[in-house]
């Protein structure tokens, strides 16, 4: 089993910045891909950014140039640096991982509990 725990959310003013973290913990696991998703009130959950264990990244068009995803493989921790935040970024942000673990080191999908990001004056 693997646990994903997000941190770093909070309330910021428009134009401000936040850095989210997602720490993976457990025994005998290998991260293949980790992603950040978000879900705003009344909206569907959407992919914000993703990163592979090799460091390849992708971003939603709405956050390109403002957000940066990174991963520290040694620490099994993923980060999302969010700059130039606006009210449209308000959402619960979820950490997700495609992680090999357990019997035969098969790949499983894991989700964190989410962290609230609110952008408001």
């Amino acid at each position: 089993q693997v646990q994903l725990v997000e941190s770093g959310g909070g309330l910021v003013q428009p134009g401000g910045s936040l850095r989210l973290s997602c720490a993976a913990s457990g025994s005998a696991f290998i991260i293949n891909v980790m992603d950040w998703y978000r879900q705003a009130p009344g909206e569907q959950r959407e992919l914000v950014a993703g990163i592979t264990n090799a460091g390849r990244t992708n971003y939603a068009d709405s956050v390109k140039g403002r957000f940066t995803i990174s991963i520290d493989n040694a620490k099994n921790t993923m980060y999302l640096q969010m700059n130039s935040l606006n009210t449209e970024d308000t959402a619960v942000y979820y950490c997700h991982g495609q992680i090999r673990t357990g019997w035969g080191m098969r790949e499983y999908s894991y989700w964190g509990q989410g962290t609230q990001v609110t952008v408001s004056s």
Side-chain angles (χ1 to χ4, degrees):
Q1 290 292 316
V2 177
Q3 295 80 46
L4 302 178
V5 180
E6 303 100 330
S7 62
L11 174 65
V12 296
Q13 294 184 336
S17 298
L18 282 175
R19 188 194 191 204
L20 305 183
S21 299
C22 175
S25 62
S27 298
F29 66 90
I30 298 173
I31 297 170
N32 286 348
V33 178
M34 294 189 77
D35 322 273
W36 288 101
Y37 288 77
R38 68 185 181 187
Q39 187 166 20
E43 303 289 338
Q44 296 196 82
R45 188 173 297 187
E46 65 173 345
L47 177 66
V48 177
I51 186 167
T52 71
N53 196 50
R56 289 183 285 272
T57 61
N58 65 83
Y59 297 90
D61 288 340
S62 60
V63 307
K64 286 181 179 178
R66 299 189 297 121
F67 292 9
T68 302
I69 189 171
S70 62
I71 188 168
D72 185 332
N73 289 315
K75 295 181 178 180
N76 291 317
T77 300
M78 176 178 64
Y79 306 94
L80 185 67
Q81 179 65 47
M82 304 186 295
N83 299 326
S84 301
L85 287 163
N86 57 62
T87 57
E88 299 300 315
D89 297 314
T90 296
V92 177
Y93 284 70
Y94 296 92
C95 174
H96 170 261
Q98 293 292 131
I99 299 171
R100 295 188 177 276
T101 188
W103 183 267
M105 295 299 288
R106 289 177 168 81
E107 186 177 276
Y108 298 91
S109 178
Y110 291 91
W111 290 90
Q113 293 296 309
T115 184
Q116 177 71 50
V117 172
T118 302
V119 185
S120 179
S121 299

